[in-house]
Amino acid sequence: MSRKFFVGGNWKMNGDKKSLTDLIQTMNGAKTDPNVEVVCGAPSIYLDFTRSNLDAKFGVAAQNCYKVPKGAFTGEISPAMIKDCEVNWVILGHSERRHVFGESDELIGQKTAHALESGLGVIACIGEKLDEREGGITEKVVFAQTKVIADNVKDWSKVVLAYEPVWAIGTGKTASPQQAQEVHEKLREWLKTNVSESVANSVRIIYGGSVTGATCKELASQKDVDGFLVGGASLKPEFIEIINAKM
């Protein structure tokens, strides 16, 4: 079964109207592979601005949301608000949310369930820290994270799994294509055993962690790598190269 290649750009807490206008104009004017689904994760304050200016062929994602539609939750945004800005995706469980802001697996699961029920697509992030990889428990960690997500998903067609080894995010260290493929393959086996064979074959598992124009082509050639979640490079013109990694 062919899985449509998916490239997400996570802008994190970066950009202003001037720099984002430049980036959006670059993307709108670029020749990009029509067989790739592209989604840009904008800071919440710029979601409306990004969706209004970015070509409709590109999707937009929020970088986080809360687990209920509205209420007394100062500083939070809900899937209902995200959808009201005509934005159709949200990134959940990013390692910075887990490790900088202390979000638990349980909370990420609840957010995933509510976002999906609200009709958003979810880019669900999982990944191990350096001490966990060196301790030989990568699989244990990512399977536990995946289980909490899987327990909260009814419709897998709206979910993209993003494997991001925490030790490779923003460090310039990239998992080798073989390391990435090995974890992606094991994740697919886990889905086959614990969810279903059809989900395992159809769900897109993308890789994140210092993906650049230089590393993207070899990573993209791996059998179980279905795309990327790109951090720093998504703010630069080289993001176009990454989108076109399969061309």
Side-chain angles (χ1 to χ4, degrees), residues 6-12 20 23-24 26-28 32 37-44 46-48 50-51 54-55 57-64 82 86-91 123 228-231 233-236 239-240 243:
F6 184 102
V7 177
N10 180 8
W11 297 349
K12 305 191 181 183
L20 294 180
L23 178 62
I24 288 166
T26 298
M27 287 188 65
N28 288 351
T32 53
E37 184 169 5
V38 179
V39 173
C40 294
S44 59
Y46 296 131
L47 283 171
D48 215 355
T50 302
R51 184 61 289 169
L54 193 62
D55 191 303
K57 71 183 174 191
F58 301 121
V60 178
Q63 297 175 14
N64 191 26
I82 294 166
E86 295 178 20
V87 169
N88 296 320
W89 288 91
V90 64
I91 300 169
I123 300 166
F228 305 116
L229 186 56
V230 184
S234 69
L235 293 155
K236 302 173 188 165
F239 188 49
I240 306 301
I243 293 169

Side-chain angles (χ1 to χ4, degrees), residues 98 103-110 141 144-146 148-149 152:
R98 293 175 188 270
E103 291 191 8
S104 65
D105 278 347
E106 183 188 21
L107 177 60
I108 292 159
Q110 292 165 340
V141 170
Q145 292 170 339
T146 305
V148 180
I149 291 160
N152 287 283

Side-chain angles (χ1 to χ4, degrees), residues 145-164:
Q145 292 170 339
T146 305
K147 183 182 186 318
V148 180
I149 291 160
D151 288 346
N152 287 283
V153 175
K154 293 188 183 79
D155 177 7
W156 281 91
S157 69
K158 303 289 293 259
V159 178
V160 172
L161 268 185
Y163 167 60
E164 296 200 297

Side-chain angles (χ1 to χ4, degrees), residues 21-233:
T21 298
D22 291 345
L23 178 62
I24 288 166
Q25 285 175 344
T26 298
M27 287 188 65
N28 288 351
K31 188 176 184 307
T32 53
D33 187 338
N35 301 312
V36 175
E37 184 169 5
V38 179
V39 173
C40 294
S44 59
I45 200 162
Y46 296 131
L47 283 171
D48 215 355
F49 175 81
T50 302
R51 184 61 289 169
S52 301
N53 290 286
L54 193 62
D55 191 303
K57 71 183 174 191
F58 301 121
V60 178
Q63 297 175 14
N64 191 26
C65 68
Y66 199 49
K67 63 181 180 179
V68 293
K70 61 180 183 181
F73 301 102
T74 302
E76 292 292 324
I77 62 170
S78 71
M81 294 170 175
I82 294 166
K83 289 203 74 172
D84 194 38
C85 293
E86 295 178 20
V87 169
N88 296 320
W89 288 91
V90 64
I91 300 169
L92 291 174
H94 192 279
S95 66
E96 287 146 10
R97 299 302 319 170
R98 293 175 188 270
H99 304 305
V100 180
F101 298 101
E103 291 191 8
S104 65
D105 278 347
E106 183 188 21
L107 177 60
I108 292 159
Q110 292 165 340
K111 289 181 176 193
T112 299
H114 180 60
L116 291 168
E117 281 159 13
S118 305
L120 287 178
V122 172
I123 300 166
C125 303
I126 55 177
E128 82 284 5
K129 296 189 291 203
L130 185 59
D131 59 332
E132 292 165 338
R133 174 162 279 270
E134 288 176 344
I137 57 168
T138 294
E139 283 173 49
K140 184 181 167 200
V141 170
V142 297
F143 291 169
Q145 292 170 339
T146 305
K147 183 182 186 318
V148 180
I149 291 160
D151 288 346
N152 287 283
V153 175
K154 293 188 183 79
D155 177 7
W156 281 91
S157 69
K158 303 289 293 259
V159 178
V160 172
L161 268 185
Y163 167 60
E164 296 200 297
V166 181
W167 48 271
I169 298 175
T171 59
K173 288 181 186 169
T174 312
S176 71
Q178 295 72 28
Q179 283 174 315
Q181 166 58 24
E182 184 184 2
V183 176
H184 284 227
E185 188 176 5
K186 289 193 168 138
L187 279 167
R188 220 175 281 290
E189 284 168 14
W190 186 93
L191 290 168
K192 186 175 170 180
T193 305
N194 296 279
V195 182
S196 75
E197 187 166 5
S198 67
V199 165
N201 289 336
S202 62
V203 77
R204 291 172 292 184
I205 306 175
I206 64 175
Y207 170 78
S210 300
V211 177
T212 63
T215 58
C216 65
K217 277 204 172 339
E218 199 186 345
L219 281 161
S221 70
Q222 303 300 309
K223 179 167 76 76
D224 289 295
V225 174
D226 303 314
F228 305 116
L229 186 56
V230 184

